[in-house]
Amino acid sequence: MKFKIYSVFLIIFLLIYSGCEHGIAPRSEPPRTGFSGKIYFKNNWPNDIYQTRVVAFRETIRTVADFNIFNIGFISDTIPYGVSEFTYESDKNPLIEPVAGTTLKYIVVAQAIVPTPLPRRQDWRVAGIYYSSEDSTKYGSVTIEQGIFKRNIDIVVDFNNPPVQPPN
C-alpha cells in the first residue's frame, strides 16, 4: 500500500517538474526590431487634412514616380488630428511594417489632403521630415536591423513653416 502511495506521489512530482522550464520566471520576449520617435507639432493644424501618418521611403523622393507603393518601407497607424505631440513605434499597429535589412532614406510626416488617398503624390502633403542628427540640412536615414530597436527618430512639424515638397 505504501509503495502505491509513494508511486503516485513520484508520478505527480515528475509530471509537475518535467513540464517546467524555469519555474515561475517571466517568459522572455524576443528583441524588438524597428524604430520609434516623437513628432512635435507646432502652430495650428490645417483644416484640409483627412489623415496624418509617418511614412518612410526606401529612396528619397526625387520624381513623381518615386512616390509609389514599392518605395514605401513603413507606414504608421493614423496620428490623431490636432495633437501637439505624438509618439510612434514602428512595431505598434503599422499599416506597413518595416523589414529587417531595409534602409529607410526619407522619413516624413505625410498628410492626406483627399478623403480616400492612394499612394499617389498629389494625394499627400509632406508636413515634416526626419533630418540627420549630425547634419540638420540632410535627410536622416534608418537601417532596420533584426533584433535592434532604434529610438529618437524625432520629427518637428511646423505648420507655419512647411518643408519643401517633393515633386508633384
Side-chain angles (χ1 to χ4, degrees):
M1 180 75 159
K2 282 184 174 184
F3 178 73
K4 286 185 180 181
I5 293 174
Y6 287 125
S7 297
V8 169
F9 281 120
L10 180 63
I11 290 171
I12 292 172
F13 177 80
L14 290 174
L15 287 174
I16 290 172
Y17 287 101
S18 67
C20 236
E21 291 179 15
H22 302 321
I24 58 171
R27 190 178 297 195
S28 65
E29 295 292 323
R32 293 173 73 185
T33 299
F35 63 100
S36 68
K38 190 173 270 193
I39 304 166
Y40 301 93
F41 295 94
K42 297 166 69 174
N43 300 306
N44 294 325
W45 282 62
N47 293 324
D48 63 344
I49 301 303
Y50 290 93
Q51 62 178 268
T52 302
R53 297 177 184 269
V54 176
V55 180
F57 295 87
R58 291 178 175 90
E59 298 296 331
T60 304
I61 306 299
R62 290 188 168 84
T63 70
V64 175
D66 292 334
F67 198 100
N68 67 69
I69 195 71
F70 302 108
N71 192 21
I72 295 173
F74 166 73
I75 300 178
S76 74
D77 198 3
T78 303
I79 298 168
Y81 181 86
V83 298
S84 60
E85 59 183 50
F86 181 80
T87 300
Y88 71 95
E89 297 176 307
S90 66
D91 59 348
K92 303 289 184 198
N93 302 317
L95 191 60
I96 296 177
E97 191 168 354
V99 176
T102 302
T103 297
L104 305 171
K105 298 179 182 174
Y106 187 62
I107 304 167
V108 302
V109 174
Q111 295 184 307
I113 53 177
V114 297
T116 310
L118 297 172
R120 303 181 307 189
R121 171 63 188 96
Q122 65 264 27
D123 291 359
W124 296 89
R125 176 186 308 141
V126 174
I129 302 171
Y130 171 62
Y131 290 98
S132 168
S133 58
E134 290 86 33
D135 184 349
S136 63
T137 64
K138 295 186 178 177
Y139 301 139
S141 66
V142 174
T143 298
I144 307 302
E145 300 172 75
Q146 186 65 42
I148 297 175
F149 197 80
K150 299 178 180 179
R151 300 183 189 283
N152 302 318
I153 310 302
D154 301 334
I155 301 172
V156 175
V157 173
D158 184 348
F159 292 118
N160 289 350
N161 189 22
V164 173
Q165 297 297 299
N168 196 1

